[in-house]
Amino acid sequence: MAPHKKSKKSKRELKKLKKRKNVNGVVPVEPKTIESDWWDAFWHKNSSTQGFILLSLTLSFLSDRCVLEVADFSPDSSRTLLFLLSYVMLPRGCLVPNDEAEGFKYFFRVSKKTFGYICSLVREDLISRPPSGLINIEGRLLSVEKQVAIALRRLASGESQVSVGAAFGVGQSTVSQVTWRFIEALEERAKHHLKWPDSNRMEEIKSKFEAFFGLLNCCGAIDATHIIMTLPAVQTSDDWCDPENNYSMLLQGIVDHEMRFLDIVTGWPGGMTVSRLLKCTGFFKLCEGGERLNGNVRTLSGGEEIREFIVGGGGYPLLPWLLTPYETDGLSASMSTFNAMHEAARLLAVRAFSQVKGSWRILNKVMWRPDKRKLPSIILVCCLLHNIIIDCGDNLLQDVALSGHHDSGYGEQFCKQADPLGRTLREKLAKYFHHGKEKAPSK
């Protein structure tokens, strides 16, 4: 039997129906809902060791080392395999806190209050760039809060995008897109959390250094660390290969008495010495030009003046505004006293780097073939997050800080350069300490 022919009338009606559906060129579709209950779902899924930690460790292990492809197994067998492997790999004592508030900070390094503030900083940017395609496995659009959570978890854990995505029910590409959007937004919106202090704030910092360490007119402590990475063979060079034969990028920072970063510089190859790095910075040029560390001097009882300065390790040059310790051979009593006070203050910078690399573990893991133009932004955002935690009155998680030195495995550098004015300033302070602070200095 021949097929039934459609009448002209039915064809006309069909055209009218299509026209009604396409009024204003828009075809009605079912609106996607925004996932707003992400934390409840995340906490329920990842609040046990058999949840997040076991799964993420194994996924990270598998994806980073390419031991096998989980996709080769059925869903049920994959889950069983991941659980068993993770159970073997889980370090003793690595437990998610039972308290939900503590658990939130465990996963994201910030309290819920600070998290909300961070969301407020980047919300406009994340909304103005609609997350096209950024949906979870249930087809709901990712809320700003969930996007921020994904990015923070990626930065905090340093785990693979596959592992982080599995914890949130999103794909690897989504983790990549969300994290980079967040980095771009925070880099622009949180600049005010990392700036050189004004004169009033600097006076407060100096008074704290004097109260804590006895250092008159000290404005901060400086240090530098290596961010290890790998580079494609075509990009390798001796500049990026550091003294320990790692490819790395340097990060230098100056911190105050609360371990808040006041100035950072990054993007320079790890093959440089810290002395050379310092001289390439804008901070060095400003200090040499008398435009920074040029505030009020302190006058000792004998009329000797102490200018503003910062303290740094032996790898830095001794300058009129940067004091390094005395070499250890043949130290006098006054020199030993100065070194002890100097070291106590300098360790603030060491601890700050151990904290930032421990809190934001992405900085303490080998970054596989990073874009050298993007890596400085990642580093900067981690430093901004460190400062935001302090500025919001949030507590830095001490138990996540690196237990050893932030540059473990790297030998100590020594710089022989010593400016006569730097020597003189150091001697004044050493004598002042040795004589037991004869009289309170005038301001």
Side-chain angles (χ1 to χ4, degrees), residues 10 90 93 114 132 162 171 179 223 258 265-266 295 310 314 318 325 347 372 376 387 413 427-428 430:
S10 62
L90 182 67
T114 303
S132 176
V162 173
T179 303
D223 201 7
E258 295 181 297
V265 62
T266 190
I310 58 175
L318 175 61
L347 283 177
K372 292 199 297 293
N387 279 9
Q413 298 179 13
E427 289 171 5
K428 290 178 184 178

Side-chain angles (χ1 to χ4, degrees), residues 297-306 428 438 441-442:
V297 300
R298 297 292 298 275
T299 304
L300 302 181
S301 56
E304 296 175 314
E305 293 185 340
I306 305 296
K428 290 178 184 178
E438 300 165 348
S442 59

Side-chain angles (χ1 to χ4, degrees), residues 72-73 99 108 119 130 136 200 241 261 265 325 357 363 406-408 435:
D72 293 340
F73 298 86
D99 180 77
F108 308 113
C119 289
N136 70 358
N200 291 332
C241 186
F261 288 103
V265 62
K357 291 178 80 171
L363 300 182
H406 59 76
D407 248 359
S408 178
H435 293 303

